[in-house]
Amino acid sequence: MKILITGSNGQVGSCLVNRLQQKPEIEFLALTRQELDITDPVQVDAIVKQFTPDVIINAAAYTAVDKAEQDVELCYAINRDGPRFLAAAAHKNGAILLHISTDYVFSGDKQGLYNEEDPVAPQGVYGESKLAGELAIAKECPRHIILRTAWVFGEHGNNFVKTMLRLAKTRDTLGVVADQFGGPTYAGDIANALIVMANALNVGNKEYGVYHFSGLPHVNWHQFAVDIFTQAKSQGIIDRQIRVNAITSEQYPTPAKRPTNSKLSCQKIEQIFGIMPSDWLTALTHLNQW
């Protein structure tokens, strides 16, 4: 199997590279944004035609949620147009496309877990652009997987865990939002899930379409922060207890509205691919290896 990875220096892309390096039976080409600009259809066509992948994994995305409210054109170019070009090239060359999407396609107002068939209603530019990307892929490439995930963290790139650890160096007390709920998701677990799906789809015995993948247990950001600091202290990364005060979203206003409920049901991916939710608590026990 040959896999083309876009956005290979991001959170998930870096984990994909690390894991595929341990799988000699898979030939892969991993390209950063500097090496492949997915918003350039000529570049995309040339790379896909030259490498002839069986599977394309798009790990490239514009993820600066607040900045997106002003940076609309670039956000849509990366999150809608890039996936459309990749999907068209995949279809033309007989490849399967795996694409990472987000909980932000939902309003966040539902009670309970969001499943793949729930109505979408993004509340900001980032979510709207990611939904536009989903729709473009579905139109251009029948053989696709859209993998929605949430609250991604890992060794690479910027994320909530790294922000908390950075703040802990200079602060003894933090206020963290406690009225937004979701499932933290370790980037390495997303990479593993994508590889499992790619293998299964490549032999032709699984279903295409939309899947949800995130972590359990579901928590709010405040509890996530508490767990991060507990693990960091036990691993000697910080030398004191950080006090975490629970605050409301109103007390921490942001340019883009965050979903109150980002809890995704992972039942479908478990049933069809045998992939279990991300065990983010275990992932936090390895912070000292970052």
Side-chain angles (χ1 to χ4, degrees):
M1 180 168 58
K2 295 173 69 176
I3 298 179
L4 171 65
I5 301 167
T6 65
S8 66
N9 57 344
Q11 288 200 84
V12 177
S14 297
C15 290
L16 275 167
V17 171
N18 291 343
R19 280 146 181 78
L20 288 174
Q21 285 170 342
Q22 301 163 34
K23 296 182 179 294
E25 73 278 11
I26 297 177
E27 180 184 352
F28 70 95
L29 176 62
L31 300 175
T32 65
R33 184 180 175 186
Q34 288 69 38
E35 294 164 330
L36 172 59
D37 178 2
I38 65 169
T39 69
D40 182 340
V42 176
Q43 270 194 53
V44 169
D45 278 340
I47 289 287
V48 174
K49 187 177 179 182
Q50 180 183 355
F51 183 62
T52 63
D54 300 299
V55 176
I56 300 171
I57 300 179
N58 181 32
Y62 185 110
T63 58
V65 175
D66 289 323
K67 197 177 173 189
E69 294 297 309
Q70 308 298 325
D71 209 2
V72 178
E73 191 173 332
L74 180 60
C75 183
Y76 268 88
I78 296 171
N79 290 347
R80 177 194 61 195
D81 301 341
R84 181 170 77 236
F85 301 145
L86 287 166
H91 185 53
K92 187 162 64 176
N93 290 272
I96 298 162
L97 178 63
L98 274 60
H99 171 76
I100 303 165
S101 194
T102 175
D103 57 296
Y104 277 73
V105 300
F106 297 115
S107 67
D109 297 330
K110 180 182 178 179
Q111 300 295 313
L113 309 185
Y114 277 100
N115 61 48
E116 289 81 357
E117 290 75 36
D118 278 326
V120 289
Q123 300 295 296
V125 171
Y126 168 69
E128 289 166 355
S129 71
K130 292 295 286 184
L131 176 57
E134 290 188 8
L135 297 172
I137 287 168
K139 184 178 179 181
E140 297 286 347
C141 182
R143 297 205 304 159
H144 70 267
I145 291 283
I146 291 165
L147 189 68
R148 293 179 184 146
T149 189
W151 294 25
V152 181
F153 71 94
E155 301 93 322
H156 313 280
N158 298 314
N159 54 68
F160 183 76
V161 175
K162 284 191 173 182
T163 298
M164 291 299 103
L165 295 177
R166 186 182 72 248
L167 291 173
K169 292 177 181 177
T170 57
R171 308 266 288 275
D172 294 318
T173 304
L174 292 170
V176 179
V177 169
D179 56 3
Q180 298 170 15
F181 294 83
T185 313
Y186 174 50
D189 291 338
I190 299 174
N192 289 338
L194 288 165
I195 294 168
V196 168
M197 297 176 97
N199 273 313
L201 293 165
N202 194 48
V203 297
N205 63 350
K206 298 296 176 185
E207 298 177 25
Y208 298 104
V210 179
Y211 290 84
H212 289 173
F213 177 75
S214 61
L216 287 176
H218 292 127
V219 288
N220 58 35
W221 289 109
H222 172 267
Q223 184 59 54
F224 189 22
V226 169
D227 290 330
I228 292 164
F229 294 135
T230 299
Q231 284 297 332
K233 187 169 184 292
S234 71
Q235 294 171 55
I237 297 167
I238 56 177
D239 58 4
R240 67 202 187 284
Q241 196 66 45
I242 307 297
R243 182 177 175 184
V244 187
N245 295 324
I247 62 173
T248 65
S249 299
E250 286 72 26
Q251 290 173 287
Y252 189 78
T254 55
K257 183 188 176 190
R258 265 69 176 169
T260 301
N261 175 18
S262 288
K263 299 176 189 175
L264 302 178
S265 168
C266 300
Q267 190 174 5
K268 181 181 174 183
I269 197 171
E270 183 179 339
Q271 286 178 341
I272 294 179
F273 287 95
I275 295 170
M276 304 301 291
S278 174
D279 182 0
W280 61 269
L281 280 165
T282 295
L284 289 183
T285 64
H286 304 298
L287 290 174
N288 54 8
Q289 297 172 23
W290 287 22

